[in-house]
Amino acid sequence: MFGDLFEEDYSSVPSNQYGKGRKLKTKTVEPPAPREFTNLSGIRNQGGTCYLNSLLQTLHFTPEFREALFSLGPEELGSLEEKDNPDAKVRIIPLQLQRLFAQLLLLDQEAASTSDLTDSFGWTSNEEMRQHDVQELNRILFSALETSLVGTSGHDLINRLYHGTIVNHIVCKECKNVSEKQVNIQEYFINKLHC
């Protein structure tokens, strides 16, 4: 099916480029091991969601994030079965993230689908086909998680794990006076949104 996809072809390169009389050895690269051996699962692309998939894999392989998310039970997040009940408080995005991470960890499958998660974002099929900036998506996802987790034990999850300070350091070329201002990263990005 893949032919010689995993073999390097140097037939179009002149042999004297590699030195006199030397033959170039081609190296055969083996395809990845089957799922049973690695116990890893990928994430299915919905058309243009590779940026989303790489962010989700990064979050999934951050044990502190994954474990904090799994520590939130149905008493705090509600249940997906209740999502259509207007009286129930259901935190859909964290629940869908839990579900996706559980599938990646536990199910014997080659790839998991993110369609339930992107549906919880309110995305249409049009949105899934458009390429977006992963940093912008990360900021939006973290903001949605923070909003969704208010009133739970995970209310400070994002701030606790992902925080920092930006330092603006300005030196005058004339008098060498130094001006320094520290800004919390979250405040910095919030101010950037309103510009």
Side-chain angles (χ1 to χ4, degrees):
M1 178 170 137
F2 292 109
D4 53 0
L5 178 66
F6 296 103
E7 294 176 12
E8 297 176 6
D9 178 21
Y10 293 102
S11 59
S12 63
V13 179
S15 61
N16 63 356
Q17 184 172 342
Y18 293 102
K20 282 188 173 180
R22 281 203 246 164
K23 288 193 172 192
L24 177 65
K25 293 181 184 177
T26 58
K27 183 174 156 184
T28 304
V29 178
E30 295 296 320
R35 166 94 167 116
E36 298 83 44
F37 177 74
T38 63
N39 290 325
L40 296 175
S41 179
I43 298 177
R44 199 168 295 116
N45 194 322
Q46 293 185 53
T49 59
C50 54
Y51 65 97
L52 168 69
N53 297 356
S54 64
L55 174 61
L56 293 173
Q57 287 284 17
T58 301
L59 295 174
H60 173 255
F61 283 108
T62 304
E64 298 84 358
F65 180 82
R66 186 182 65 237
E67 290 166 15
L69 193 62
F70 281 144
S71 73
L72 300 168
E75 64 283 348
E76 292 187 278
L77 298 180
S79 167
L80 288 173
E81 290 79 26
E82 295 285 319
K83 70 179 180 185
D84 295 327
N85 179 353
D87 298 329
K89 176 70 174 169
V90 180
R91 301 164 197 270
I92 296 174
I93 293 175
L95 284 168
Q96 290 296 358
L97 272 175
Q98 280 183 342
R99 187 179 203 195
L100 176 65
F101 289 175
Q103 288 174 358
L104 293 172
L105 289 170
L106 304 171
L107 294 184
D108 186 17
Q109 61 186 4
E110 287 184 12
S113 172
T114 56
S115 59
D116 289 338
L117 179 63
T118 56
D119 287 349
S120 75
F121 296 166
W123 284 10
T124 62
S125 58
N126 241 4
E127 199 70 34
E128 294 158 358
M129 298 301 289
R130 290 183 37 212
Q131 196 60 245
H132 292 280
D133 180 70
V134 71
Q135 291 176 324
E136 180 71 7
L137 174 67
N138 186 41
R139 189 194 55 71
I140 292 169
L141 177 61
F142 279 5
S143 178
L145 279 172
E146 281 183 314
T147 301
S148 184
L149 295 176
V150 167
T152 71
S153 61
H155 69 280
D156 65 342
L157 170 66
I158 302 302
N159 192 38
R160 189 168 23 98
L161 294 178
Y162 303 98
H163 62 275
T165 304
I166 294 175
V167 178
N168 290 322
H169 187 85
I170 302 170
V171 179
C172 178
K173 287 183 177 184
E174 307 255 331
C175 68
K176 306 296 183 208
N177 186 31
V178 177
S179 171
E180 211 173 76
K181 182 179 180 186
Q182 293 187 8
V183 180
N184 178 298
I185 287 179
Q186 289 176 327
E187 291 173 21
Y188 174 79
F189 285 114
I190 288 170
N191 290 335
K192 283 284 189 188
L193 286 176
H194 300 293
C195 293

